[in-house]
Amino acid sequence: MRAMKWTAVAATGLLAAASSGAFAQTAPIPDDQVKARVEALLAQMTLEEKVGQLTQVAGGLFPEAKPEEALRKGGAGSILWLNDTKKFNELQKVAVEEPRLKIPVLYGLDVIHGYRTIFPVPLAMAASWDPSVHERAAAVAAKEARAAGIHWTFAPMVDIARDARWGRIVEGAGEDPYLGAAMAAAQVRGFQGPYLGAPDHVLACAKHFGAYGAADGGRDYDPVYVPEGRLRNVYFPPFQAAVNAGVGSFMSAYMDLNDVPAGGNRWLLTDVLRGEWGFKGFVVSDAMGVGNLEILHFARDGRDAAWKALSAGLDMEMASGRFPQHLAALVKDGQLAAAQLDEAVRRVLAVKVRLGLFEKPYTDEARVESVLTDPAHRKEARLAAQRSMVLLRNEGKALPLPKTLTSLAVIGPLADSKADTEGSWMVFGHVPAAVTVLEGLKAKLPGAKIDYAPGPEIRRDVPSFFETLIPGPKKPPQTPAEAEAAFQKAVETARGADLVIAVMGERADMSGEAASRALLDLPGRQEELLKAVVALGKPVVLVLLNGRPLSINWASQNVPAILEAWEPGTEGGHAVADVLFGDVNPGGKLPVTFPRSGAHSPLSSARNLTHSPEGAPMYNVRYWDGAPTPLYPFGYGLSYTTFAFSNLKVAALQVQVGGKVAVSVDVTNTGAVAGDEVVQLYVHQKAGRDSRPMRELKGFRRVGLKPGEKQTVTFALGPDELRYWSTSQRRWVQDAEAFDVWVGADSTATLHADLTVVP
Ligand code: BGC
């Protein structure tokens, strides 16, 4: 009925009025109304129409894709890989006018760290240790995407990643389940707003369920073998946090999880996700993920794949066409219960109803540009980039730099690259428009002489699969002679300046999907160039642009100032300049351990003790060819000021199982400038039914302090923080045992207190 009404509005040319926001939902649609509307629709649907709703088809990415045909035939639940507002409206018109039931189509796209305004990559956002900034970034991304006609983002990616070789580490919050859960929930709130269907927001999707980040050897898509205890204690918490924050959809992962592919894993998608966590939304496969069950030799053919996926609890298939080909026949043949198919359809329809798509299927094309160019969005992006930066080294107070500098050289292949400044995972069709570091420096010092030389280019040895999807001719690689000339030019440029800023790291296509690598050093001839420039005896600052930890061993000893700027987004260059020249005091902290070598991966601070624990005489037996310790530990980051921690108090020496105890600490800014410190709380359980990690993050707070200012920060430790899933008991337990408690500035904090949990 309602759909028909809006069809009539559209037909009479009142499209803009219908979509101007005047009809946006100002409150969630009550559950009973959602249910009634879904049941009324379901009762009218044929088997083919039901299957249509469980099918997501490709839009613009593949020229051969014909989404309108799918819409006319049986309908399509969703369209992805299309980013064209006009086309969205045209196809929507087909969906709500031509097929019998007029069910609007749901447009999904990867809006990972911004739509037009690009925020720092998610790993960088996690380095802010500020969930509120991540929430606001997601809200801006949602507002822009929704204005352009997108209803659903395939984000947040909440995979824990402890292996820096894995390319997709850039898309998540790093290694830690506690920080990861906070960032997951923040992004869900930001994308979805206060309720599903809130104006200017989109449906979020927690992905890739689960444990995709534990790929063997850090190789993308490789199988994952993770025992249940570690799944539940480490890999699942961010997913559960997303459910608790009300996420409306989940995406299953590609790979085998303990020999059962995630996309066909009933334990994962039904028993845990719905049974234990009470997830009420729908699950979509990853791209081609149902067909993938055949590639993994889990399903014998397409029919088997469709059956295994749907019966495991997967509701919508992304782009591999097995559902439309086989689901109806599976029901007709009695292999798949009609009730099970209906359940999946209900979940998809319920989300569409909640999003208000039936009332407002179209997008107001006239409004798009004004939303996308809102200057407030760029302000947020600059703030987010400033807050995400991590100062790794600052010998002799090399930073901040004086604004009186008159001559500087900027070198490095990333210094003036818009695409690499915006980083991995651009929205399909987006044209990079970032302020580069070079541009940011020029804007900061308009009177100075700033010479730029990129040095030799850097490239992947094996080109990215995604490059093949971008039309147009590819730039041929530099010849060795061209690279040598570029190298010499960079050295000469450096020689002519008073100070050198080297902007180095990884190109955007060196991290992300299908972008794993074995080594973590600076690719190409960057380190060689850095050495040549340091050898000139000039002050050198290294600004890193990268989407994963890098093993910058030489630089960490020889370059006095190192700023980890990640892939900082649209306003990245300004934010780097703000930090380098002291307008902003960096306060970010590493959300992931930096290993000394790719060969040391995976490495995290929350590892269990060993026969030769850290600091023990036999410690170095763990590798004879180098220290096994991190280059930079989890939680690490410096500031232009200094902080002192004191007065650590655990409110009671003993707490009962199930009870809560307050832990407080004073943090004081002991330096001369205002700055932020991230106060971090770690615990270690000293004995128990299982061995527990030597450090686990169980609280954090980023606080801003003026010089001399002191603040008391209080955390609570209770069952949520002290319980764990026990491998020996095969259930959640809280042990009555002794705990170490540390509070400080990173995961090596030494300020210690004892806590005993009693029965
Ligand atoms: C990725 C997902 C993404 C999907 C749709 C897949 O290859 O693994 O993260 O959401 O494509 O673009």
Side-chain angles (χ1 to χ4, degrees), residues 230-254:
R230 185 170 279 209
L231 284 177
R232 291 183 179 274
N233 292 319
V234 176
Y235 290 93
F236 285 177
F239 286 101
Q240 195 174 2
V243 173
N244 294 342
V247 74
S249 72
F250 255 58
M251 186 187 291
S252 61
Y254 278 126

PDB file of all heavy atoms in Angstrom, residues 230-254:
ATOM      1  N   ARG A 230      40.283 -19.144  22.410  1.00  0.00           N
ATOM      2  CA  ARG A 230      40.838 -17.915  21.845  1.00  0.00           C
ATOM      3  C   ARG A 230      39.810 -17.200  20.967  1.00  0.00           C
ATOM      4  O   ARG A 230      39.775 -15.966  20.911  1.00  0.00           O
ATOM      5  CB  ARG A 230      42.109 -18.215  21.063  1.00  0.00           C
ATOM      6  CG  ARG A 230      42.761 -16.950  20.569  1.00  0.00           C
ATOM      7  CD  ARG A 230      44.114 -17.169  20.012  1.00  0.00           C
ATOM      8  NE  ARG A 230      45.115 -17.245  21.068  1.00  0.00           N
ATOM      9  CZ  ARG A 230      46.391 -16.898  20.912  1.00  0.00           C
ATOM     10  NH1 ARG A 230      46.803 -16.461  19.742  1.00  0.00           N
ATOM     11  NH2 ARG A 230      47.244 -17.002  21.887  1.00  0.00           N
ATOM     12  N   LEU A 231      38.970 -17.976  20.292  1.00  0.00           N
ATOM     13  CA  LEU A 231      37.897 -17.315  19.533  1.00  0.00           C
ATOM     14  C   LEU A 231      37.077 -16.456  20.469  1.00  0.00           C
ATOM     15  O   LEU A 231      36.810 -15.295  20.211  1.00  0.00           O
ATOM     16  CB  LEU A 231      36.977 -18.359  18.877  1.00  0.00           C
ATOM     17  CG  LEU A 231      37.482 -19.078  17.635  1.00  0.00           C
ATOM     18  CD1 LEU A 231      36.453 -20.121  17.187  1.00  0.00           C
ATOM     19  CD2 LEU A 231      37.748 -18.083  16.505  1.00  0.00           C
ATOM     20  N   ARG A 232      36.677 -17.053  21.568  1.00  0.00           N
ATOM     21  CA  ARG A 232      35.731 -16.355  22.458  1.00  0.00           C
ATOM     22  C   ARG A 232      36.405 -15.240  23.263  1.00  0.00           C
ATOM     23  O   ARG A 232      35.776 -14.235  23.551  1.00  0.00           O
ATOM     24  CB  ARG A 232      35.072 -17.368  23.386  1.00  0.00           C
ATOM     25  CG  ARG A 232      34.119 -18.300  22.643  1.00  0.00           C
ATOM     26  CD  ARG A 232      33.438 -19.217  23.624  1.00  0.00           C
ATOM     27  NE  ARG A 232      32.494 -20.120  23.008  1.00  0.00           N
ATOM     28  CZ  ARG A 232      31.212 -19.818  22.752  1.00  0.00           C
ATOM     29  NH1 ARG A 232      30.742 -18.622  23.040  1.00  0.00           N
ATOM     30  NH2 ARG A 232      30.411 -20.715  22.219  1.00  0.00           N
ATOM     31  N   ASN A 233      37.659 -15.448  23.624  1.00  0.00           N
ATOM     32  CA  ASN A 233      38.329 -14.425  24.439  1.00  0.00           C
ATOM     33  C   ASN A 233      38.931 -13.302  23.604  1.00  0.00           C
ATOM     34  O   ASN A 233      39.090 -12.188  24.093  1.00  0.00           O
ATOM     35  CB  ASN A 233      39.444 -15.061  25.268  1.00  0.00           C
ATOM     36  CG  ASN A 233      38.895 -15.982  26.340  1.00  0.00           C
ATOM     37  OD1 ASN A 233      37.891 -15.674  26.983  1.00  0.00           O
ATOM     38  ND2 ASN A 233      39.519 -17.142  26.526  1.00  0.00           N
ATOM     39  N   VAL A 234      39.301 -13.610  22.371  1.00  0.00           N
ATOM     40  CA  VAL A 234      40.044 -12.620  21.585  1.00  0.00           C
ATOM     41  C   VAL A 234      39.286 -12.169  20.334  1.00  0.00           C
ATOM     42  O   VAL A 234      39.132 -10.975  20.100  1.00  0.00           O
ATOM     43  CB  VAL A 234      41.431 -13.188  21.182  1.00  0.00           C
ATOM     44  CG1 VAL A 234      42.173 -12.210  20.276  1.00  0.00           C
ATOM     45  CG2 VAL A 234      42.256 -13.517  22.419  1.00  0.00           C
ATOM     46  N   TYR A 235      38.843 -13.112  19.528  1.00  0.00           N
ATOM     47  CA  TYR A 235      38.307 -12.736  18.210  1.00  0.00           C
ATOM     48  C   TYR A 235      36.835 -12.337  18.234  1.00  0.00           C
ATOM     49  O   TYR A 235      36.384 -11.558  17.394  1.00  0.00           O
ATOM     50  CB  TYR A 235      38.556 -13.870  17.195  1.00  0.00           C
ATOM     51  CG  TYR A 235      40.020 -13.974  16.864  1.00  0.00           C
ATOM     52  CD1 TYR A 235      40.865 -14.837  17.570  1.00  0.00           C
ATOM     53  CD2 TYR A 235      40.594 -13.146  15.907  1.00  0.00           C
ATOM     54  CE1 TYR A 235      42.225 -14.889  17.309  1.00  0.00           C
ATOM     55  CE2 TYR A 235      41.955 -13.186  15.633  1.00  0.00           C
ATOM     56  CZ  TYR A 235      42.764 -14.064  16.338  1.00  0.00           C
ATOM     57  OH  TYR A 235      44.114 -14.089  16.081  1.00  0.00           O
ATOM     58  N   PHE A 236      36.068 -12.878  19.177  1.00  0.00           N
ATOM     59  CA  PHE A 236      34.629 -12.597  19.178  1.00  0.00           C
ATOM     60  C   PHE A 236      34.202 -11.302  19.884  1.00  0.00           C
ATOM     61  O   PHE A 236      33.164 -10.737  19.520  1.00  0.00           O
ATOM     62  CB  PHE A 236      33.859 -13.768  19.804  1.00  0.00           C
ATOM     63  CG  PHE A 236      33.738 -14.983  18.924  1.00  0.00           C
ATOM     64  CD1 PHE A 236      33.115 -16.142  19.401  1.00  0.00           C
ATOM     65  CD2 PHE A 236      34.208 -14.991  17.620  1.00  0.00           C
ATOM     66  CE1 PHE A 236      32.986 -17.277  18.599  1.00  0.00           C
ATOM     67  CE2 PHE A 236      34.096 -16.128  16.814  1.00  0.00           C
ATOM     68  CZ  PHE A 236      33.478 -17.272  17.310  1.00  0.00           C
ATOM     69  N   PRO A 237      34.905 -10.828  20.913  1.00  0.00           N
ATOM     70  CA  PRO A 237      34.359  -9.680  21.658  1.00  0.00           C
ATOM     71  C   PRO A 237      33.950  -8.474  20.800  1.00  0.00           C
ATOM     72  O   PRO A 237      32.869  -7.917  21.030  1.00  0.00           O
ATOM     73  CB  PRO A 237      35.460  -9.343  22.673  1.00  0.00           C
ATOM     74  CG  PRO A 237      36.106 -10.668  22.933  1.00  0.00           C
ATOM     75  CD  PRO A 237      36.106 -11.373  21.602  1.00  0.00           C
ATOM     76  N   PRO A 238      34.733  -8.068  19.786  1.00  0.00           N
ATOM     77  CA  PRO A 238      34.242  -6.919  19.007  1.00  0.00           C
ATOM     78  C   PRO A 238      32.938  -7.228  18.255  1.00  0.00           C
ATOM     79  O   PRO A 238      32.100  -6.345  18.090  1.00  0.00           O
ATOM     80  CB  PRO A 238      35.386  -6.651  18.014  1.00  0.00           C
ATOM     81  CG  PRO A 238      36.591  -7.256  18.647  1.00  0.00           C
ATOM     82  CD  PRO A 238      36.099  -8.465  19.380  1.00  0.00           C
ATOM     83  N   PHE A 239      32.771  -8.472  17.830  1.00  0.00           N
ATOM     84  CA  PHE A 239      31.526  -8.839  17.145  1.00  0.00           C
ATOM     85  C   PHE A 239      30.352  -8.791  18.117  1.00  0.00           C
ATOM     86  O   PHE A 239      29.278  -8.297  17.796  1.00  0.00           O
ATOM     87  CB  PHE A 239      31.641 -10.244  16.524  1.00  0.00           C
ATOM     88  CG  PHE A 239      32.511 -10.264  15.289  1.00  0.00           C
ATOM     89  CD1 PHE A 239      33.822 -10.722  15.339  1.00  0.00           C
ATOM     90  CD2 PHE A 239      32.018  -9.808  14.070  1.00  0.00           C
ATOM     91  CE1 PHE A 239      34.617 -10.726  14.201  1.00  0.00           C
ATOM     92  CE2 PHE A 239      32.811  -9.810  12.924  1.00  0.00           C
ATOM     93  CZ  PHE A 239      34.116 -10.273  12.996  1.00  0.00           C
ATOM     94  N   GLN A 240      30.594  -9.307  19.312  1.00  0.00           N
ATOM     95  CA  GLN A 240      29.499  -9.286  20.291  1.00  0.00           C
ATOM     96  C   GLN A 240      29.178  -7.844  20.694  1.00  0.00           C
ATOM     97  O   GLN A 240      28.015  -7.490  20.892  1.00  0.00           O
ATOM     98  CB  GLN A 240      29.850 -10.134  21.515  1.00  0.00           C
ATOM     99  CG  GLN A 240      28.602 -10.407  22.338  1.00  0.00           C
ATOM    100  CD  GLN A 240      28.832 -11.367  23.491  1.00  0.00           C
ATOM    101  OE1 GLN A 240      29.958 -11.825  23.717  1.00  0.00           O
ATOM    102  NE2 GLN A 240      27.775 -11.674  24.223  1.00  0.00           N
ATOM    103  N   ALA A 241      30.213  -7.016  20.775  1.00  0.00           N
ATOM    104  CA  ALA A 241      29.974  -5.601  21.100  1.00  0.00           C
ATOM    105  C   ALA A 241      29.133  -4.942  20.010  1.00  0.00           C
ATOM    106  O   ALA A 241      28.281  -4.099  20.284  1.00  0.00           O
ATOM    107  CB  ALA A 241      31.310  -4.871  21.257  1.00  0.00           C
ATOM    108  N   ALA A 242      29.376  -5.343  18.768  1.00  0.00           N
ATOM    109  CA  ALA A 242      28.575  -4.789  17.657  1.00  0.00           C
ATOM    110  C   ALA A 242      27.112  -5.220  17.802  1.00  0.00           C
ATOM    111  O   ALA A 242      26.199  -4.419  17.595  1.00  0.00           O
ATOM    112  CB  ALA A 242      29.144  -5.242  16.318  1.00  0.00           C
ATOM    113  N   VAL A 243      26.902  -6.467  18.175  1.00  0.00           N
ATOM    114  CA  VAL A 243      25.525  -6.942  18.387  1.00  0.00           C
ATOM    115  C   VAL A 243      24.886  -6.139  19.517  1.00  0.00           C
ATOM    116  O   VAL A 243      23.762  -5.637  19.384  1.00  0.00           O
ATOM    117  CB  VAL A 243      25.499  -8.453  18.732  1.00  0.00           C
ATOM    118  CG1 VAL A 243      24.085  -8.896  19.121  1.00  0.00           C
ATOM    119  CG2 VAL A 243      25.998  -9.278  17.547  1.00  0.00           C
ATOM    120  N   ASN A 244      25.605  -5.988  20.602  1.00  0.00           N
ATOM    121  CA  ASN A 244      25.044  -5.250  21.740  1.00  0.00           C
ATOM    122  C   ASN A 244      24.752  -3.791  21.389  1.00  0.00           C
ATOM    123  O   ASN A 244      23.863  -3.179  21.983  1.00  0.00           O
ATOM    124  CB  ASN A 244      25.979  -5.317  22.951  1.00  0.00           C
ATOM    125  CG  ASN A 244      26.076  -6.747  23.487  1.00  0.00           C
ATOM    126  OD1 ASN A 244      25.219  -7.592  23.186  1.00  0.00           O
ATOM    127  ND2 ASN A 244      27.117  -7.045  24.247  1.00  0.00           N
ATOM    128  N   ALA A 245      25.510  -3.260  20.433  1.00  0.00           N
ATOM    129  CA  ALA A 245      25.261  -1.876  20.009  1.00  0.00           C
ATOM    130  C   ALA A 245      24.130  -1.802  18.981  1.00  0.00           C
ATOM    131  O   ALA A 245      23.821  -0.733  18.482  1.00  0.00           O
ATOM    132  CB  ALA A 245      26.543  -1.271  19.434  1.00  0.00           C
ATOM    133  N   GLY A 246      23.560  -2.959  18.637  1.00  0.00           N
ATOM    134  CA  GLY A 246      22.378  -2.963  17.762  1.00  0.00           C
ATOM    135  C   GLY A 246      22.680  -3.091  16.286  1.00  0.00           C
ATOM    136  O   GLY A 246      21.837  -2.745  15.448  1.00  0.00           O
ATOM    137  N   VAL A 247      23.841  -3.609  15.934  1.00  0.00           N
ATOM    138  CA  VAL A 247      24.173  -3.709  14.507  1.00  0.00           C
ATOM    139  C   VAL A 247      23.097  -4.515  13.770  1.00  0.00           C
ATOM    140  O   VAL A 247      22.615  -5.530  14.268  1.00  0.00           O
ATOM    141  CB  VAL A 247      25.586  -4.312  14.305  1.00  0.00           C
ATOM    142  CG1 VAL A 247      25.627  -5.806  14.584  1.00  0.00           C
ATOM    143  CG2 VAL A 247      26.108  -4.023  12.910  1.00  0.00           C
ATOM    144  N   GLY A 248      22.718  -4.042  12.579  1.00  0.00           N
ATOM    145  CA  GLY A 248      21.606  -4.674  11.868  1.00  0.00           C
ATOM    146  C   GLY A 248      22.006  -5.791  10.933  1.00  0.00           C
ATOM    147  O   GLY A 248      21.159  -6.558  10.473  1.00  0.00           O
ATOM    148  N   SER A 249      23.304  -5.885  10.593  1.00  0.00           N
ATOM    149  CA  SER A 249      23.700  -6.982   9.707  1.00  0.00           C
ATOM    150  C   SER A 249      25.112  -7.448  10.040  1.00  0.00           C
ATOM    151  O   SER A 249      25.891  -6.731  10.667  1.00  0.00           O
ATOM    152  CB  SER A 249      23.611  -6.549   8.235  1.00  0.00           C
ATOM    153  OG  SER A 249      24.643  -5.651   7.900  1.00  0.00           O
ATOM    154  N   PHE A 250      25.388  -8.655   9.619  1.00  0.00           N
ATOM    155  CA  PHE A 250      26.703  -9.284   9.778  1.00  0.00           C
ATOM    156  C   PHE A 250      27.148  -9.785   8.411  1.00  0.00           C
ATOM    157  O   PHE A 250      26.303 -10.141   7.582  1.00  0.00           O
ATOM    158  CB  PHE A 250      26.590 -10.505  10.716  1.00  0.00           C
ATOM    159  CG  PHE A 250      27.147 -10.279  12.101  1.00  0.00           C
ATOM    160  CD1 PHE A 250      26.654  -9.253  12.893  1.00  0.00           C
ATOM    161  CD2 PHE A 250      28.131 -11.108  12.627  1.00  0.00           C
ATOM    162  CE1 PHE A 250      27.150  -9.056  14.186  1.00  0.00           C
ATOM    163  CE2 PHE A 250      28.642 -10.927  13.904  1.00  0.00           C
ATOM    164  CZ  PHE A 250      28.155  -9.893  14.688  1.00  0.00           C
ATOM    165  N   MET A 251      28.447  -9.851   8.205  1.00  0.00           N
ATOM    166  CA  MET A 251      28.984 -10.498   7.002  1.00  0.00           C
ATOM    167  C   MET A 251      29.850 -11.661   7.445  1.00  0.00           C
ATOM    168  O   MET A 251      30.678 -11.517   8.343  1.00  0.00           O
ATOM    169  CB  MET A 251      29.826  -9.506   6.180  1.00  0.00           C
ATOM    170  CG  MET A 251      30.292 -10.057   4.841  1.00  0.00           C
ATOM    171  SD  MET A 251      31.452  -8.939   3.997  1.00  0.00           S
ATOM    172  CE  MET A 251      30.376  -7.584   3.574  1.00  0.00           C
ATOM    173  N   SER A 252      29.652 -12.795   6.783  1.00  0.00           N
ATOM    174  CA  SER A 252      30.484 -13.947   7.134  1.00  0.00           C
ATOM    175  C   SER A 252      31.820 -13.833   6.411  1.00  0.00           C
ATOM    176  O   SER A 252      31.923 -13.182   5.377  1.00  0.00           O
ATOM    177  CB  SER A 252      29.788 -15.247   6.752  1.00  0.00           C
ATOM    178  OG  SER A 252      29.566 -15.263   5.365  1.00  0.00           O
ATOM    179  N   ALA A 253      32.817 -14.490   6.967  1.00  0.00           N
ATOM    180  CA  ALA A 253      34.167 -14.412   6.396  1.00  0.00           C
ATOM    181  C   ALA A 253      34.331 -15.456   5.294  1.00  0.00           C
ATOM    182  O   ALA A 253      33.539 -16.371   5.157  1.00  0.00           O
ATOM    183  CB  ALA A 253      35.195 -14.616   7.496  1.00  0.00           C
ATOM    184  N   TYR A 254      35.403 -15.299   4.540  1.00  0.00           N
ATOM    185  CA  TYR A 254      35.659 -16.198   3.414  1.00  0.00           C
ATOM    186  C   TYR A 254      36.186 -17.578   3.807  1.00  0.00           C
ATOM    187  O   TYR A 254      35.922 -18.565   3.155  1.00  0.00           O
ATOM    188  CB  TYR A 254      36.759 -15.586   2.530  1.00  0.00           C
ATOM    189  CG  TYR A 254      36.315 -14.543   1.540  1.00  0.00           C
ATOM    190  CD1 TYR A 254      36.917 -13.290   1.505  1.00  0.00           C
ATOM    191  CD2 TYR A 254      35.323 -14.813   0.608  1.00  0.00           C
ATOM    192  CE1 TYR A 254      36.542 -12.335   0.577  1.00  0.00           C
ATOM    193  CE2 TYR A 254      34.942 -13.857  -0.323  1.00  0.00           C
ATOM    194  CZ  TYR A 254      35.555 -12.620  -0.339  1.00  0.00           C
ATOM    195  OH  TYR A 254      35.182 -11.678  -1.257  1.00  0.00           O
TER     196      TYR A 254
END
